[in-house]
Amino acid sequence: MTDRDPDIRTDDPAHYRFLALIKRVAGGIFVDDTMFVLGVAKRTAERWLGGKPVPDPVIERLERDAPAVEAFGRDLHDVVKRHREAGLSEHYMRLRMRQYAKTLSEEVAKEDGE
C-alpha cells in the first residue's frame, strides 16, 4: 500500500483519491484552486472537497492530467534554477512569467476567434 499524505485527513478512499489528485495538479487543497483547475462553481468545489461524490469523468481527467502537470512543474523548477544560478534577478523572472501567462490567454482567445 502507498504512503498516505498526512495533510489529507479522510477515511473515505474515494474522497482521499480526489483530494490527493487535486493536491497533485493544484499544489494544494484549496477551494479557489479547485474551482480554477476543474472549472466549477465555488459551491461545487466546496462540496467535493468536503466529501461529496465526485463524478468519474472528473477523476479520470485529473488522473490523466496529473503526470503532465507534475512534469511541467519540474520543468519550471529547472528553468528557474538554471537562470537563478546564471544570476538572473527573481524580479525579472516574475515579470517574464507574468507576461508569458498573459500570452497564454491571448493565444486561446485568438484560437476561439478563428
Side-chain angles (χ1 to χ4, degrees), residues 17-35:
R17 178 179 172 200
F18 172 70
L19 294 176
L21 285 166
I22 286 294
K23 189 173 180 181
R24 284 178 67 190
V25 299
I29 303 170
F30 304 104
V31 173
D32 289 347
D33 294 339
T34 302
M35 290 169 47

Side-chain angles (χ1 to χ4, degrees), residues 1-2 14 29-30 40 42 44-45 47 56-57 66 85 105 107 109:
M1 182 171 195
T2 60
I29 303 170
F30 304 104
V40 297
K42 182 176 183 177
T44 301
R47 291 172 58 85
D56 289 340
E85 289 171 352
S105 298
E107 289 174 13

Side-chain angles (χ1 to χ4, degrees), residues 77-94:
H77 177 79
D78 291 344
V79 166
V80 168
K81 181 181 176 186
R82 186 173 67 243
H83 289 283
R84 182 175 282 147
E85 289 171 352
L88 185 62
S89 162
E90 181 178 319
H91 294 61
Y92 288 130
M93 287 188 274
R94 286 177 184 267

Side-chain angles (χ1 to χ4, degrees), residues 3-70:
D3 293 331
R4 288 183 58 88
D5 185 323
D7 293 334
I8 301 175
R9 297 184 182 104
T10 181
D11 294 327
D12 178 3
H15 188 218
Y16 180 89
R17 178 179 172 200
F18 172 70
L19 294 176
L21 285 166
I22 286 294
K23 189 173 180 181
R24 284 178 67 190
V25 299
I29 303 170
F30 304 104
V31 173
D32 289 347
D33 294 339
T34 302
M35 290 169 47
F36 185 77
V37 166
L38 298 178
V40 297
K42 182 176 183 177
R43 181 69 182 130
T44 301
E46 289 171 340
R47 291 172 58 85
W48 290 349
L49 291 174
K52 296 294 182 188
V54 179
D56 289 340
V58 173
I59 297 295
E60 291 164 4
R61 187 176 96 202
L62 289 170
E63 287 176 335
R64 181 193 69 225
D65 293 348
V69 171
E70 289 171 325

